Structures are given as C-alpha cells and as structure tokens.
Amino acid sequence: MKIEVWSDFVCPFCYIGKRRLEHAMEKFSHRDNIVLEYKSYQLDPTAKHIPGKDFYQTFSELKGLPLNQVKAMNGQVGEQAAAIGLTYNFDTMKYANTFDAHRAAKFAETKGKGKEITERFLYAYFTESKLMSDHDTLAELAEEVGLDKEEVKEVMESNRYAKEVREDINVAHQIGVRGVPFFVFNEKYAVSGAQPEEVFHEVLNKVWEEEKDKPIIQEIDIAKNSETSYCTDDGCEIKEK
C-alpha cells in the first residue's frame, strides 16, 4: 500500500496528522506492506521571518485577527498536540518560509532519509523553535539524521530540487488539495486533515481489503479472435495475420 502525504513543516495539524497516522499504522497488521512518501506543500509561499516580531504578532497581522484570539486559537491547537505526545512552543516559534526546507527534504529522499528528516524538521520547528529558513540550521538538522552537512549546504546555496518541490505543489493543486495535511492512499483514496487515529485505522483496513486481491494492472478484455504477439519467460510467440 502506498500512502502519499502532502504537508508543510510549519503546519501544526500536519504534525498532529502525521503522528495520528503513525499510531494507526502501528496497530495495522499489514504495516510492513506500507510505503510512505512525503510531498511538499507551502501554506504561505510568501512567508518570511521578521527578526524581533514573534509568531503571535506575525500570525495576527497575516490573518487580520486580534492578538488574544490568535493566542487562544493556538492554545487549543497546542492542547491537541499535547494529547498525542507533541510539544508546541508557540511563544518562541519563528515564522519562516519553508521552500528551502522542502528542497533539503527532497535531497534527503535521494539518500533514503526522507521520513527521518520530515520528523526532525517538524520537531525542530514546533518544539525547538528553530528558524526553518536558515541554511545553516537546515544543514545541522540534516546532519543529525545522517546526511553530510557540507553537501546539504551546497544544495541550499544552489537551486537544486526546486523543480521537485514545485512539482509536488502543482500536483496537489491538480488533484484538488485545498489544505494540508492531505493523505492519498494507493493514488485512489484521499483523506483530508488531521483525522482521528480511528479514522486512519478504518481507512487503512478499507483500502487493504479492497485492493489486496486486485492486480496492479488490469488487462483490457479484447475480442477472443484477435491475434497478437508477445513474449514470456519461455520465449516469444509471434502470431501471423
């Protein structure tokens, strides 16, 4: 089973949804048959870090909401995160653009570290209040999951993997993604939002039961009297007209 997850490193519900899916997968008897892929998405492509301005101020101005309302909203999100073992430190969080973080994650994927760096980046932003647009910070975090720090810096200083990030975002728009997290199972079934663990478990079982006996490719039924040529492990069969 293939699960593709569109998410952003500064999306609070993306981290919550990720953890709920993981908890559901732990209870799923066929979890060893799951291939999990993380896809890039940006909630705010124009985002930038402004030194001296905290997360609440930035979010308040961005959404046009009173400061006390912003703090109350994020407090509720923090409670949801805490309920599944995550710690969100909104007081020290640093609003930032995530495009380069996504590029670093794409590079990590080529080294077999896509899942590890996704978890590390989310924890770095929400719990450690790291600035996720800073190249040195990204390189240091990448080194922690086993990547070469200097190689990551070289990637950051170039425009490498920008195309791959944009492709993920374009695909998201094409399939109708309006917000993240967004989960696609076997390129057929979609689940939007940080659903409860029970929902993810139900979807995992549903997809597995519906798909397990189906061939990956279904052959079109062609008229019996048609003739064709083909090859098998035993050789090639040539039909003459």
Side-chain angles (χ1 to χ4, degrees):
M1 183 189 304
K2 180 180 179 181
I3 305 177
E4 297 166 291
V5 185
W6 273 265
S7 63
D8 196 2
F9 298 118
V10 295
C11 164
F13 286 111
C14 289
Y15 203 5
I16 293 171
K18 176 180 184 294
R19 193 61 89 243
R20 288 176 178 170
L21 173 63
E22 290 169 346
H23 287 171
M25 287 170 56
E26 288 172 5
K27 300 175 182 177
F28 183 57
S29 57
H30 305 286
R31 58 184 173 275
D32 292 338
N33 297 101
I34 294 176
V35 175
L36 190 61
E37 293 182 6
Y38 288 98
K39 302 292 186 179
S40 303
Y41 193 90
Q42 279 195 290
L43 289 173
D44 183 5
T46 65
K48 61 182 296 186
H49 176 65
I50 303 175
K53 185 176 290 188
D54 66 23
F55 175 84
Y56 294 123
Q57 290 175 301
T58 303
F59 198 81
S60 174
E61 294 174 7
L62 183 67
K63 299 298 182 182
L65 298 172
L67 198 60
N68 61 344
Q69 185 177 346
V70 168
K71 290 184 177 181
M73 288 169 53
N74 285 289
Q76 293 173 0
V77 174
E79 290 174 4
Q80 289 191 43
I84 54 171
L86 301 176
T87 301
Y88 283 9
N89 292 314
F90 287 105
D91 290 345
T92 53
M93 211 170 281
K94 297 178 176 66
Y95 196 78
N97 193 292
T98 58
F99 191 80
D100 286 340
H102 283 296
R103 287 200 300 117
K106 286 298 179 188
F107 168 70
E109 284 179 14
T110 68
K111 303 295 183 179
K113 295 288 185 178
K115 287 185 287 187
E116 291 84 352
I117 207 164
T118 295
E119 175 67 26
R120 188 65 189 94
F121 279 3
L122 287 165
Y123 184 82
Y125 179 74
F126 287 103
T127 305
E128 299 177 328
S129 302
K130 299 287 188 180
L131 180 57
M132 299 307 293
S133 57
D134 181 74
H135 290 179
D136 287 337
T137 297
L138 295 174
E140 289 167 4
L141 294 172
E143 184 179 40
E144 290 181 21
V145 300
L147 298 175
D148 184 273
K149 182 177 178 180
E150 295 306 315
E151 194 171 2
V152 176
K153 283 185 177 181
E154 289 177 6
V155 170
M156 293 296 91
E157 291 168 2
S158 70
N159 197 39
R160 290 167 61 192
Y161 301 101
K163 179 183 177 182
E164 289 81 351
V165 172
R166 293 192 179 99
E167 284 177 349
D168 278 359
I169 295 172
N170 288 336
V171 170
H173 293 158
Q174 290 169 13
I175 64 177
V177 177
R178 295 291 178 267
V180 286
F182 192 85
F183 306 83
V184 176
F185 296 75
N186 279 357
E187 300 182 343
K188 181 178 179 182
Y189 305 88
V191 173
S192 180
Q195 298 291 338
E197 179 184 328
E198 295 76 18
V199 172
F200 283 121
H201 195 264
E202 181 181 343
V203 173
L204 287 169
N205 283 300
K206 174 182 173 63
V207 174
W208 179 263
E209 289 302 318
E210 290 188 5
E211 298 288 297
K212 67 177 182 179
D213 296 324
K214 293 181 181 179
I216 296 176
I217 300 296
Q218 296 189 33
E219 188 172 355
I220 295 175
D221 187 18
I222 301 173
K224 293 181 179 180
N225 61 354
S226 64
E227 296 181 342
T228 186
S229 301
Y230 55 88
C231 293
T232 67
D233 292 343
D234 297 321
C236 296
E237 179 75 16
I238 301 175
K239 298 290 186 179
E240 296 183 358
K241 294 184 179 180

